[in-house]
Amino acid sequence: MATSVSKKDLTIPGTMKAWVLDGPGQLRLVEKPVPEPGPAEILVRIDAVAICGTDVEILAKGLPAWIGGGLPFHKNFTPGHEYMGTVVKLGPGVDEFQIGQRVAVEIHAGCGRCERCRMGMYTSCLNYGLNYGANNKGHRANGFTTNGGFAEYAINHVNTLVHVPDEMSDEEATLIVTAGTAIYGLDALGGLMAGESLAVTGPGPIGLMSVAVGKALGAQPVILTGTRDSRLNLGAKLGADYVINVQREDPVQAVRRITQGRGVHYVMECSGAANALNEALDMVNRGGRICLAAFPGEPVPVDLAKLVRNNIYVYGIRGEGRSATHRAAALMAQKRFDAKLMHTHTFSLDQVPTGIRYFRERIEDAIKVVIKVH
Amino acid sequence: MATSVSKKDLTIPGTMKAWVLDGPGQLRLVEKPVPEPGPAEILVRIDAVAICGTDVEILAKGLPAWIGGGLPFHKNFTPGHEYMGTVVKLGPGVDEFQIGQRVAVEIHAGCGRCERCRMGMYTSCLNYGLNYGANNKGHRANGFTTNGGFAEYAINHVNTLVHVPDEMSDEEATLIVTAGTAIYGLDALGGLMAGESLAVTGPGPIGLMSVAVGKALGAQPVILTGTRDSRLNLGAKLGADYVINVQREDPVQAVRRITQGRGVHYVMECSGAANALNEALDMVNRGGRICLAAFPGEPVPVDLAKLVRNNIYVYGIRGEGRSATHRAAALMAQKRFDAKLMHTHTFSLDQVPTGIRYFRERIEDAIKVVIKVH
Amino acid sequence: MATSVSKKDLTIPGTMKAWVLDGPGQLRLVEKPVPEPGPAEILVRIDAVAICGTDVEILAKGLPAWIGGGLPFHKNFTPGHEYMGTVVKLGPGVDEFQIGQRVAVEIHAGCGRCERCRMGMYTSCLNYGLNYGANNKGHRANGFTTNGGFAEYAINHVNTLVHVPDEMSDEEATLIVTAGTAIYGLDALGGLMAGESLAVTGPGPIGLMSVAVGKALGAQPVILTGTRDSRLNLGAKLGADYVINVQREDPVQAVRRITQGRGVHYVMECSGAANALNEALDMVNRGGRICLAAFPGEPVPVDLAKLVRNNIYVYGIRGEGRSATHRAAALMAQKRFDAKLMHTHTFSLDQVPTGIRYFRERIEDAIKVVIKVH
Amino acid sequence: MATSVSKKDLTIPGTMKAWVLDGPGQLRLVEKPVPEPGPAEILVRIDAVAICGTDVEILAKGLPAWIGGGLPFHKNFTPGHEYMGTVVKLGPGVDEFQIGQRVAVEIHAGCGRCERCRMGMYTSCLNYGLNYGANNKGHRANGFTTNGGFAEYAINHVNTLVHVPDEMSDEEATLIVTAGTAIYGLDALGGLMAGESLAVTGPGPIGLMSVAVGKALGAQPVILTGTRDSRLNLGAKLGADYVINVQREDPVQAVRRITQGRGVHYVMECSGAANALNEALDMVNRGGRICLAAFPGEPVPVDLAKLVRNNIYVYGIRGEGRSATHRAAALMAQKRFDAKLMHTHTFSLDQVPTGIRYFRERIEDAIKVVIKVH
């Protein structure tokens, strides 16, 4: 449980412990200089960081090739992006936050100068990854292309911080960004969920958060599909009106049954299963909308005829745009759902590899594994 | 060329000639009673009707199964949906049109009572096809589920008519609904195209119209891809800034070359090719949008990872919703593009099968084949 | 408390008691034939009807002149629009509801054929009031232009009914349409309120519901301003984070104080006070949005410079469009706020004039006065 | 007519001529150092600058009080914001433009870190004016809060430049930003104007551009109202289908007459007349939308009842947001309308006061007065 701000030691040392990625799967704990915040930047002392599926992917493969090469991997890069902590130093011109405040983070700070950033689509920044060298456009995606949270301190752009209320634990606060991704997806789908039906496919962290947020926004009914009863039960606690174990009932049939043949208005696809989009196309009614928050590793057959004939819109989402993390923090501060239910394990900074193993192998049914740093 | 209203004979006979679909591919010319317009309906004397790819499909397969069974096919059903004509009789309570006015048609009249119709999404009516029996909800899709335009007269809901200016020929007016579909797609993509880049894949009638309409709305550049130079040349006349013959240049490479590596903002996919969506995903920039106005006959492999990682939205469109046909008629009345270029052949009502053969087999490079009825 | 469906007597008599408006302020209780539902219509036995400020206005002035003349006022017209009841007869082709189901109502059924209805804007129907004579376009606004709910039975278009859950009392269900108006306003403002700040000015029924719904959707903070502590206290119970008695603190100052100088994102103006829009313009931040759900009786000075210079959008709303009543019913079924707190008095059908007097003169601090009919 | 890039002298001197505002109405020509571009900035050699109504206001009153005090007025400030020129120096990290390219400007570069900028609403930046001192957030509004274009050189943020095609004259290019404001307004109104009706009230530069852009986007009909026939005639040349001299016909009556009683879908209010909003409320149909691009100097009576009862939305716009200037440049490059018609007078940099006098006093019917600098 986070102690109050005034009792914390905010002294900044010269160096810090940080995990760096040497090569595929090779994390190493090193001593690094604590970085200095520049204009519009803040130094955050990391208090807790959660492990995400994308961390596992980055550790295994390096940064996905689509972002572009030439980035500082396998050298000195620190992954980790679901972190929270305490403001300990302000860069020049920063007065939006004060030292000692507790904050959770967003991942993406757009360059602010490309076409997408100007439109407000900063998670789709066209200068993604350009934070280095002569071509530095100032884009940040902490834990992806700039140093992240498996460390004692991290730099954040002022745009990527949200306040954490006193009564929220560090562990719970690491889940704000996950809820933010769910909200970003629901925002793409239309935003005003109240009284409309939502199916969430895949009870991973983002799926569970989509259930929680969808219900908090008034969706009715919220249907969760998945393969493991333990996860589905958790989904029910987080707000799902119906949970469907796809090993016992066909999910499309179940959705049709629950909605009396009408289908749902919206599907949040969070499983990445090969047939998930086809099933979603059968779950929504004519004119319905589908958000893809996950995807299969390879191209999969999709029945596009259904998409066109039924006037269906499909929204791919990257990250937690449109200030979704602020919205997520507000819903969690209002205790609209109990995100803590998703937190299953805690380890120390020294134990990052163990935490990752628990998460990846789902040891003891791990969902959200949190590294407590300070 | 249409003569003026007053010179036309608006007398309504008791019976009319009409083609009906007996079975797959079996069109038969019969004598039918001229139908009576009910409340909110208008009787239109058909002056001209164009042949569309969907007509060919309906003739071959009957109405696609997705709309539902139990409909009056293979009996007395008259296909044909791209028609125009003259108002000859008004149903009770109709004062929106006057007898003698020239009109072009939209296909879809929603039931007005389902959830989608109430939202304004009448082409996605949830009571699609329900125009018969005890369950009659009043939905109409002329030429699809209610009688269409390969006939001398047809009933239209008052919602599905737009005025045709005096100076526009009957043949050109049959193309309004095609332009309407293109506008509906561009509307889904965002509507305000001016200064944004648009790739149109597939130079069929909807693709060519998407070029024309996209350019009329100020898109810059407009790039058209296809396999046949004759169609591409026509696209250039209709407003394409660049045309790419995909047999000579890879279309993705071409789009990247023309946009100096940035990709386009929007793709209108009008080819239905198996790999078209994957190519479109590579053509748009991060955060871009794709409209699917065509689709392959079978499920095809799609690389959903690109869709999600790049925050891409994909819009399936059915028909010509959101008053797109009114917008199309206005642009054509303003002579923003020369739709007549797409009209290649004319036949009489007796020659419908011949016209369909010309269209289907692209005889003499047929694009839009028009049946002149009156 | 509503008894279960099966225990109710659903027999339909030949005539019914109904109040009719003879002239300004002249309500008279008469015996009328029970009306017959036509196609797409349902006969509702009215179980309860609440009194609204607009009822008071209609009684005093007849239907406002802006709707158009020639309507059947001062003859046989029955006002009352916030009612709920039980489905007792279905018109031809209706299968969306079943006899015995409890329903609450929306006011507006658009004509379904004008430009606005086709766009989904059925409360802005361009054929408003046209339900009579040769020009009958089928528009209904029950209690405004077609017969309403101060009676034992009423006809409703199938589009204007929402289901009432068993556990919700008749009295509470009469408030669904009020909540619907609030949601329609919040939808106009953007819909996704979570984490954004909302000021509601005026604690009348719509203002109080805006507080309740805004908070249910996650707005933070929700600030309510008004002149009477009793109403403000009720607002606090319904979800307001701050209540401001404008007789003790300037509301603009208060909003600025609470938001640390930033102003709010949204204002829902529900007071109709002469200076309310000017104050709202000072309450929102640059780029903010204001919904007007109330208005002064006469033109008032407005500082348009602030509106333009600060890029502010102002949304006038009429009624409860965009399926807002369905959303409201869902939030209330989910018990997201306690609408019953607003219900203060109950009278019988014979006592309609007394009920109106209680409401109008705010006797015993009346807020929602409900007439229990069956 | 602009000569080609290569023939221009791009040498940058140490100092430059610039007009500065000493006090109300006191412009003085001084010699200033040529400024240095910082990161994300570009030094533009000003080739031409047009005079705008806001310039006149700033000269008379200083920067409007709403932006905040403490800004560097009456000292060394250079006004002028409708300029174009040539890129002569790139700040660090800038590769979006190349030296020698001709560019036109937008006024507003948001801070990129406030809530509005993150949403893409950079003209509504919450850090408006903060470009100085410890609190420097990097906001720029050239000619408003940072130095503008009545000078030989100016700094621009990379976000505020658009390319000018070779064949467009310097004088015409100064009008891009005016067209951008018109597009921003039409974008607020919905963007897809094709086939919808638009009334533009007030034939000043923004009104005339709204006519031109509205017609270019396919609005039908476009109606322009004003008091001077010369301006109205120009409006007709720019695309107005109807022009109404309000001294000869009531504009509301005229709009109703032209639209056969239906009213228009949209009004762009560009006159700032005291009764303009009330008239606009009578011009639009139920559910219509009004954009305010101008405003009266003082609060004026507004009949808000009409706004609410008719579900009308009113959009105040500030500046040229949402990349409108890029769209404007594209339409002008495509020669969709002849902006040059609005350019009436040319003066040299030494003659700025004379040019302003011509513009303000409308000498020789001046519309757009351009200062040719290089």
Side-chain angles (χ1 to χ4, degrees):
Chain A
M1 180 64 69
T3 56
S4 88
V5 165
S6 58
K7 294 175 195 160
K8 290 204 170 188
D9 179 8
L10 304 176
T11 312
I12 305 169
T15 62
M16 65 178 185
K17 287 197 281 185
W19 290 91
V20 296
L21 186 60
D22 273 339
Q26 299 179 313
L27 272 185
R28 184 167 45 106
L29 187 61
V30 301
E31 195 78 15
K32 267 188 186 179
V34 173
E36 273 293 312
E41 292 181 344
I42 283 174
L43 182 67
V44 175
R45 187 196 64 198
I46 294 167
D47 293 335
V49 53
I51 294 166
C52 170
T54 316
D55 292 324
V56 173
E57 214 179 307
I58 289 173
L59 266 65
K61 307 189 209 167
L63 193 71
W66 56 274
I67 285 178
L71 294 171
F73 283 90
H74 304 291
K75 281 191 284 187
N76 200 25
F77 173 69
T78 296
H81 56 271
E82 297 190 343
Y83 58 89
M84 60 75 59
T86 305
V87 173
V88 291
K89 192 167 187 182
L90 306 174
V94 174
D95 58 6
E96 289 92 342
F97 289 86
Q98 293 166 28
I99 288 173
Q101 289 181 325
R102 294 171 72 230
V103 288
V105 303
E106 300 182 48
I107 299 159
H108 297 85
C111 72
R113 64 203 274 185
C114 76
E115 209 171 25
R116 292 299 177 210
C117 284
R118 289 196 91 201
M119 293 169 65
M121 296 176 69
Y122 49 87
T123 67
S124 298
C125 178
L126 298 179
N127 289 318
Y128 209 104
L130 298 182
N131 194 269
Y132 304 93
N135 213 11
N136 186 344
K137 301 294 187 189
H139 177 269
R140 297 188 71 90
N142 289 349
F144 285 72
T145 65
T146 44
N147 284 322
F150 294 150
E152 289 189 288
Y153 293 88
I155 293 293
N156 268 75
H157 190 277
V158 67
N159 278 3
T160 57
L161 296 174
V162 298
H163 289 290
V164 173
D166 284 352
E167 60 275 22
M168 189 185 291
S169 72
D170 289 358
E171 290 81 354
E172 184 172 0
T174 64
L175 294 165
I176 289 174
V177 68
T178 311
T181 300
I183 291 189
Y184 184 46
L186 297 177
D187 192 356
L189 289 173
L192 189 53
M193 295 283 118
E196 304 202 319
S197 47
L198 171 67
V200 178
T201 51
I206 292 176
L208 291 168
M209 276 299 190
S210 297
V211 164
V213 170
K215 194 68 201 178
L217 297 176
Q220 177 78 16
V222 175
I223 305 169
L224 175 64
T225 69
T227 57
R228 285 183 297 161
D229 287 331
S230 58
R231 290 287 178 101
L232 295 171
N233 290 340
L234 181 51
K237 286 181 191 156
L238 286 165
D241 298 293
Y242 300 89
V243 293
I244 306 298
N245 189 319
V246 301
Q247 295 176 330
R248 291 197 293 273
E249 184 174 8
D250 175 76
V252 172
Q253 296 293 330
V255 164
R256 293 277 157 188
R257 170 178 57 78
I258 293 165
T259 59
Q260 293 156 304
R262 288 193 298 269
V264 287
H265 296 89
Y266 305 113
V267 174
M268 273 289 286
E269 197 322 78
C270 305
S271 75
N275 202 36
L277 177 51
N278 286 323
E279 289 181 348
L281 288 167
D282 284 333
M283 286 176 181
V284 294
N285 58 19
R286 190 169 293 134
R289 299 181 181 185
I290 298 167
C291 177
L292 298 186
F295 50 86
E298 310 217 324
V300 291
V302 178
D303 191 354
L304 297 175
K306 284 179 186 159
L307 200 156
V308 178
R309 281 172 168 156
N310 288 319
N311 209 93
I312 292 169
Y313 296 168
V314 176
Y315 300 86
I317 56 161
R318 166 154 200 84
E320 63 302 298
R322 290 172 62 82
S323 295
T325 307
H326 289 258
R327 297 179 187 277
L331 287 178
M332 285 170 63
Q334 295 170 43
K335 301 189 193 306
R336 294 300 172 100
F337 50 86
D338 189 0
K340 293 190 301 296
L341 293 172
M342 289 172 55
H343 169 219
T344 53
H345 294 76
T346 306
F347 294 96
S348 68
L349 182 58
D350 290 347
Q351 295 171 305
V352 163
T354 307
I356 289 172
R357 189 165 57 84
Y358 265 67
F359 175 82
R360 190 182 52 221
E361 302 175 12
R362 294 173 173 171
I363 295 171
E364 297 166 10
D365 216 4
I367 303 175
K368 269 298 173 192
V369 174
V370 174
I371 305 298
K372 194 77 178 64
V373 182
H374 281 101
Chain B
M1 179 64 68
T3 56
S4 87
V5 165
S6 58
K7 294 175 193 160
K8 291 203 168 184
D9 179 9
L10 303 175
T11 312
I12 306 169
T15 62
M16 64 178 186
K17 288 198 282 186
W19 289 90
V20 296
L21 186 59
D22 274 339
Q26 299 179 315
L27 271 185
R28 183 168 46 107
L29 188 61
V30 301
E31 195 77 15
K32 266 187 186 180
V34 173
E36 274 293 312
E41 292 181 344
I42 284 174
L43 182 67
V44 175
R45 186 195 63 197
I46 294 167
D47 293 336
V49 52
I51 294 166
C52 169
T54 316
D55 292 324
V56 173
E57 214 179 307
I58 289 173
L59 267 65
K61 306 190 209 168
L63 192 70
W66 57 274
I67 285 178
L71 294 172
F73 282 90
H74 305 289
K75 281 190 284 188
N76 200 27
F77 173 69
T78 297
H81 57 271
E82 297 190 345
Y83 57 91
M84 60 76 58
T86 305
V87 173
V88 291
K89 191 168 188 181
L90 307 173
V94 173
D95 59 5
E96 289 91 341
F97 289 86
Q98 294 167 27
I99 288 173
Q101 288 181 325
R102 295 171 72 229
V103 288
V105 303
E106 299 181 49
I107 300 159
H108 297 85
C111 71
R113 61 203 276 185
C114 75
E115 209 171 25
R116 293 299 177 210
C117 284
R118 289 197 91 202
M119 292 169 66
M121 297 176 67
Y122 49 86
T123 66
S124 299
C125 178
L126 299 180
N127 289 318
Y128 210 104
L130 298 182
N131 194 269
Y132 304 93
N135 214 12
N136 186 344
K137 302 293 187 190
H139 176 269
R140 295 188 71 90
N142 288 350
F144 285 73
T145 65
T146 45
N147 285 320
F150 294 150
E152 290 189 288
Y153 293 88
I155 292 294
N156 267 76
H157 190 277
V158 66
N159 278 4
T160 58
L161 296 174
V162 298
H163 290 289
V164 173
D166 284 352
E167 60 275 22
M168 189 184 291
S169 72
D170 289 357
E171 290 82 352
E172 183 173 359
T174 65
L175 295 164
I176 289 175
V177 68
T178 312
T181 300
I183 290 189
Y184 185 45
L186 297 177
D187 192 355
L189 290 173
L192 189 54
M193 294 283 118
E196 305 201 318
S197 48
L198 170 68
V200 178
T201 51
I206 293 176
L208 290 168
M209 275 299 191
S210 296
V211 163
V213 170
K215 194 68 202 177
L217 297 177
Q220 178 77 15
V222 174
I223 305 168
L224 175 65
T225 69
T227 58
R228 287 181 298 162
D229 287 332
S230 59
R231 291 286 179 100
L232 295 170
N233 290 341
L234 181 52
K237 286 180 190 156
L238 285 165
D241 298 293
Y242 301 89
V243 294
I244 306 299
N245 189 318
V246 302
Q247 295 177 329
R248 290 197 292 273
E249 184 176 7
D250 175 76
V252 172
Q253 296 294 330
V255 164
R256 294 276 157 188
R257 170 178 58 77
I258 293 165
T259 59
Q260 292 156 306
R262 288 192 298 268
V264 287
H265 296 89
Y266 306 113
V267 173
M268 273 289 286
E269 198 318 81
C270 304
S271 75
N275 203 36
L277 178 52
N278 286 323
E279 289 181 348
L281 288 167
D282 283 332
M283 286 177 181
V284 293
N285 59 18
R286 191 168 292 135
R289 300 180 181 186
I290 298 166
C291 177
L292 298 186
F295 50 86
E298 310 215 325
V300 290
V302 178
D303 191 354
L304 297 175
K306 284 180 186 160
L307 199 155
V308 178
R309 281 173 168 155
N310 288 319
N311 208 94
I312 292 169
Y313 297 168
V314 176
Y315 300 86
I317 56 162
R318 167 155 199 83
E320 62 302 298
R322 291 173 61 81
S323 295
T325 307
H326 289 258
R327 297 180 187 277
L331 287 178
M332 286 170 63
Q334 294 171 43
K335 302 190 192 307
R336 295 301 172 100
F337 49 87
D338 188 0
K340 292 190 302 295
L341 293 172
M342 289 173 55
H343 169 219
T344 53
H345 295 76
T346 305
F347 294 96
S348 68
L349 182 58
D350 290 347
Q351 296 170 304
V352 162
T354 307
I356 290 172
R357 189 165 56 84
Y358 266 68
F359 176 82
R360 190 183 51 222
E361 302 174 13
R362 294 173 174 174
I363 295 171
E364 297 166 11
D365 214 5
I367 303 176
K368 270 297 174 191
V369 174
V370 174
I371 306 298
K372 195 74 180 65
V373 182
H374 283 100
Chain C
M1 180 64 67
T3 55
S4 87
V5 165
S6 58
K7 294 176 192 160
K8 290 204 168 187
D9 178 8
L10 304 176
T11 312
I12 306 167
T15 63
M16 65 178 186
K17 288 198 280 188
W19 290 91
V20 296
L21 185 61
D22 273 340
Q26 298 179 315
L27 270 185
R28 183 168 45 105
L29 188 61
V30 301
E31 195 78 13
K32 268 188 184 180
V34 173
E36 274 292 313
E41 292 181 345
I42 284 174
L43 181 67
V44 175
R45 187 195 63 195
I46 294 167
D47 293 334
V49 53
I51 295 165
C52 170
T54 316
D55 291 325
V56 174
E57 216 179 304
I58 289 172
L59 266 66
K61 305 188 208 167
L63 193 70
W66 56 274
I67 285 180
L71 294 172
F73 282 91
H74 305 290
K75 282 192 283 188
N76 199 26
F77 172 69
T78 298
H81 56 272
E82 296 189 345
Y83 57 91
M84 59 75 58
T86 305
V87 172
V88 291
K89 192 168 186 182
L90 306 174
V94 174
D95 58 5
E96 289 92 343
F97 289 86
Q98 295 167 27
I99 289 175
Q101 288 181 326
R102 297 171 70 229
V103 288
V105 304
E106 299 181 48
I107 300 159
H108 297 85
C111 71
R113 63 203 272 184
C114 75
E115 208 170 26
R116 292 300 177 211
C117 284
R118 287 197 93 203
M119 293 169 64
M121 297 177 68
Y122 49 86
T123 67
S124 298
C125 178
L126 299 179
N127 288 319
Y128 210 104
L130 297 183
N131 194 268
Y132 305 94
N135 214 10
N136 185 344
K137 301 293 187 190
H139 176 268
R140 297 187 70 90
N142 289 349
F144 284 73
T145 66
T146 44
N147 285 321
F150 295 149
E152 290 189 287
Y153 293 88
I155 293 293
N156 267 76
H157 190 278
V158 67
N159 278 3
T160 58
L161 296 174
V162 297
H163 290 289
V164 173
D166 284 352
E167 59 275 21
M168 189 185 291
S169 73
D170 289 359
E171 291 81 353
E172 183 173 359
T174 64
L175 294 165
I176 289 175
V177 68
T178 312
T181 301
I183 290 188
Y184 184 46
L186 297 178
D187 192 358
L189 289 173
L192 189 54
M193 294 282 118
E196 305 201 317
S197 48
L198 170 69
V200 177
T201 52
I206 292 176
L208 290 168
M209 274 299 190
S210 297
V211 164
V213 171
K215 195 67 202 177
L217 297 177
Q220 178 79 16
V222 175
I223 305 169
L224 175 65
T225 70
T227 58
R228 287 182 297 162
D229 287 332
S230 60
R231 290 286 179 102
L232 294 170
N233 291 340
L234 181 52
K237 285 180 190 157
L238 286 165
D241 298 294
Y242 301 89
V243 294
I244 306 297
N245 190 318
V246 302
Q247 295 177 330
R248 291 197 292 274
E249 184 174 8
D250 175 76
V252 172
Q253 296 294 329
V255 164
R256 293 276 157 190
R257 170 178 58 77
I258 292 164
T259 59
Q260 292 156 304
R262 287 192 298 267
V264 286
H265 296 89
Y266 305 113
V267 174
M268 272 289 286
E269 196 322 78
C270 304
S271 76
N275 204 36
L277 178 52
N278 287 323
E279 289 181 348
L281 288 167
D282 284 333
M283 286 176 182
V284 293
N285 59 18
R286 191 169 293 135
R289 300 181 181 186
I290 298 166
C291 176
L292 299 185
F295 51 86
E298 311 215 324
V300 291
V302 177
D303 191 353
L304 297 176
K306 284 179 187 160
L307 199 155
V308 178
R309 281 172 168 157
N310 288 318
N311 208 93
I312 292 169
Y313 297 168
V314 176
Y315 300 86
I317 55 161
R318 166 154 199 84
E320 64 301 298
R322 290 172 62 82
S323 295
T325 307
H326 288 258
R327 297 179 187 278
L331 287 177
M332 286 170 62
Q334 295 170 43
K335 301 191 191 307
R336 295 300 172 99
F337 50 87
D338 188 1
K340 292 189 302 294
L341 293 172
M342 290 173 54
H343 170 220
T344 53
H345 293 76
T346 306
F347 294 95
S348 68
L349 182 57
D350 289 346
Q351 295 171 305
V352 162
T354 307
I356 290 172
R357 189 165 57 83
Y358 266 68
F359 175 82
R360 189 181 53 223
E361 302 174 13
R362 293 175 174 171
I363 295 170
E364 297 166 10
D365 215 3
I367 303 175
K368 270 297 173 191
V369 174
V370 174
I371 306 298
K372 194 74 180 64
V373 182
H374 281 100
Chain D
M1 180 65 68
T3 56
S4 86
V5 165
S6 58
K7 295 176 194 159
K8 290 203 169 186
D9 179 9
L10 303 176
T11 311
I12 307 168
T15 63
M16 65 178 186
K17 288 198 282 186
W19 289 91
V20 296
L21 186 60
D22 274 339
Q26 299 179 315
L27 270 185
R28 184 168 44 105
L29 189 60
V30 301
E31 195 78 13
K32 267 188 186 180
V34 173
E36 274 292 313
E41 292 181 345
I42 285 174
L43 181 67
V44 175
R45 186 195 64 196
I46 294 167
D47 293 335
V49 53
I51 294 166
C52 170
T54 316
D55 292 324
V56 174
E57 215 178 305
I58 288 172
L59 266 66
K61 306 189 208 166
L63 192 71
W66 56 275
I67 284 179
L71 294 172
F73 282 90
H74 305 290
K75 281 190 282 186
N76 199 26
F77 173 69
T78 297
H81 56 272
E82 296 189 344
Y83 57 91
M84 60 75 57
T86 305
V87 173
V88 290
K89 192 168 187 181
L90 306 174
V94 174
D95 58 6
E96 289 92 342
F97 289 86
Q98 293 167 28
I99 289 175
Q101 289 182 324
R102 295 171 70 230
V103 287
V105 303
E106 299 181 49
I107 300 159
H108 297 85
C111 71
R113 63 202 274 185
C114 76
E115 208 171 26
R116 292 300 178 210
C117 284
R118 288 197 91 202
M119 292 169 64
M121 298 177 66
Y122 50 86
T123 67
S124 298
C125 178
L126 299 178
N127 289 318
Y128 210 103
L130 298 183
N131 193 270
Y132 305 92
N135 213 12
N136 185 345
K137 303 291 187 190
H139 177 269
R140 297 187 71 89
N142 290 349
F144 285 72
T145 66
T146 44
N147 285 321
F150 294 151
E152 291 189 287
Y153 292 88
I155 292 293
N156 267 76
H157 190 277
V158 66
N159 278 3
T160 58
L161 296 174
V162 297
H163 290 289
V164 173
D166 285 352
E167 60 274 22
M168 189 184 291
S169 73
D170 289 358
E171 291 80 355
E172 182 173 0
T174 65
L175 294 165
I176 289 175
V177 68
T178 312
T181 300
I183 290 189
Y184 185 46
L186 297 178
D187 192 357
L189 289 173
L192 189 54
M193 295 283 118
E196 305 202 316
S197 48
L198 170 68
V200 178
T201 52
I206 292 176
L208 290 169
M209 275 297 190
S210 297
V211 164
V213 170
K215 195 67 201 177
L217 296 177
Q220 177 78 16
V222 174
I223 305 168
L224 175 65
T225 70
T227 58
R228 286 181 298 163
D229 287 331
S230 59
R231 290 288 178 103
L232 295 169
N233 291 341
L234 181 52
K237 285 180 192 159
L238 286 165
D241 298 294
Y242 301 90
V243 294
I244 306 299
N245 190 318
V246 302
Q247 295 178 330
R248 291 197 292 273
E249 183 174 8
D250 175 77
V252 172
Q253 296 294 329
V255 164
R256 294 275 157 190
R257 170 178 58 76
I258 293 165
T259 59
Q260 292 157 304
R262 288 192 298 267
V264 287
H265 296 89
Y266 305 113
V267 174
M268 272 288 288
E269 197 323 78
C270 305
S271 75
N275 203 36
L277 177 52
N278 287 323
E279 289 181 348
L281 288 166
D282 284 333
M283 286 177 182
V284 292
N285 58 19
R286 190 169 293 134
R289 300 181 181 186
I290 298 166
C291 176
L292 299 185
F295 51 86
E298 310 215 324
V300 291
V302 178
D303 191 353
L304 297 176
K306 284 178 186 160
L307 199 155
V308 179
R309 281 171 168 157
N310 288 318
N311 208 92
I312 292 168
Y313 297 168
V314 176
Y315 301 86
I317 55 161
R318 166 152 200 83
E320 63 303 298
R322 291 172 61 83
S323 295
T325 307
H326 289 257
R327 297 180 188 278
L331 287 178
M332 286 170 63
Q334 295 170 43
K335 300 190 191 306
R336 295 299 172 101
F337 49 87
D338 188 0
K340 293 189 302 293
L341 293 172
M342 290 173 54
H343 170 218
T344 54
H345 294 76
T346 305
F347 294 96
S348 68
L349 182 58
D350 290 347
Q351 296 171 305
V352 162
T354 307
I356 290 172
R357 189 165 57 84
Y358 266 68
F359 176 83
R360 189 182 53 222
E361 301 174 13
R362 294 173 174 173
I363 294 170
E364 297 166 10
D365 214 2
I367 303 176
K368 270 297 172 191
V369 175
V370 174
I371 306 298
K372 194 76 180 65
V373 182
H374 281 101

